[in-house]
Amino acid sequence: MESAEKNKLFSDIVVRYSEKLYWTIRRIVLNHDDANDVMQNVFVKAWNNLEQFQERSKIYTWLYRIAINESLDFLRRKRDFVAYDTDLSDGVGSRLIADEYFDGDATQALLQEAIATLPDVQRIVFNLRYFEEMKYSDMSHLLNTSEGALKASYHIAVKKIHDYIVGK
């Protein structure tokens, strides 16, 4: 692939998928600046591997897989950096309300706080299904797991979120 062709293709990809990828990442890492950092890493990785993309999957599936992996890597690094007994989900609601990029209300902040208490995989499945309205078949391909396991993860996540909110 020639340089000009690669630049044009990549530019089109960035324009088309930036917003959706940002919100997918943001729902995982929760912070605007962290989401931008992770998204930059996603696009660097995509750029470096664009010529190896074999079109066995859709481009957005490939990008989402990179985004989810980068988001999880970010969270792992953050947990390794923070003291092991610190709960990263603690105070998410109040931090979101104070975030200039958060345009929700207290109810939406409480929902995000409840989502933040979920294990990483359940949080990702919940976010992809609830916010992205992604089909289980697409998630199955994206996350390399069965549709049944994804449905179970989603329903467990919904119950945990419900229990958390009712408990508040």
Side-chain angles (χ1 to χ4, degrees), residues 39 61 70 74 90 99 130 148 155:
M39 193 162 82
T61 303
E70 287 295 312
F74 172 84
D90 189 38
D99 185 339
Y130 184 80
H155 290 290

Side-chain angles (χ1 to χ4, degrees), residues 113-138:
E113 189 173 299
I115 293 168
T117 66
L118 297 172
D120 293 339
V121 172
Q122 287 177 5
R123 187 170 63 247
I124 289 167
V125 171
F126 181 82
N127 284 331
L128 291 174
R129 182 72 181 151
Y130 184 80
F131 292 109
E132 305 289 330
E133 298 178 354
M134 189 177 283
K135 296 176 186 175
Y136 288 112
S137 58
D138 291 339

Side-chain angles (χ1 to χ4, degrees), residues 58-163:
K58 297 176 184 173
I59 192 82
Y60 84 88
T61 303
W62 181 64
L63 290 170
Y64 272 62
R65 181 173 290 145
I66 295 170
I68 288 169
N69 288 335
E70 287 295 312
S71 298
L72 290 175
D73 286 347
F74 172 84
L75 291 177
R76 284 185 206 103
R77 286 190 306 272
K78 189 172 185 175
R79 283 190 185 109
D80 289 345
F81 182 74
V82 176
Y84 69 90
D85 60 346
T86 302
D87 183 0
L88 294 175
S89 65
D90 189 38
V92 166
S94 58
R95 286 196 313 266
L96 280 174
I97 289 174
D99 185 339
E100 67 181 281
Y101 297 100
F102 180 71
D103 62 357
D105 60 15
T107 303
Q108 290 168 323
L110 180 59
L111 173 61
Q112 290 302 320
E113 189 173 299
I115 293 168
T117 66
L118 297 172
D120 293 339
V121 172
Q122 287 177 5
R123 187 170 63 247
I124 289 167
V125 171
F126 181 82
N127 284 331
L128 291 174
R129 182 72 181 151
Y130 184 80
F131 292 109
E132 305 289 330
E133 298 178 354
M134 189 177 283
K135 296 176 186 175
Y136 288 112
S137 58
D138 291 339
M139 269 193 277
S140 175
H141 183 64
L142 177 67
L143 300 173
N144 287 329
T145 191
S146 71
E147 289 183 40
L150 293 167
K151 289 176 184 178
S153 288
Y154 179 77
H155 290 290
I156 291 168
V158 168
K159 171 124 178 57
K160 286 179 180 179
I161 290 168
H162 175 268
D163 292 348

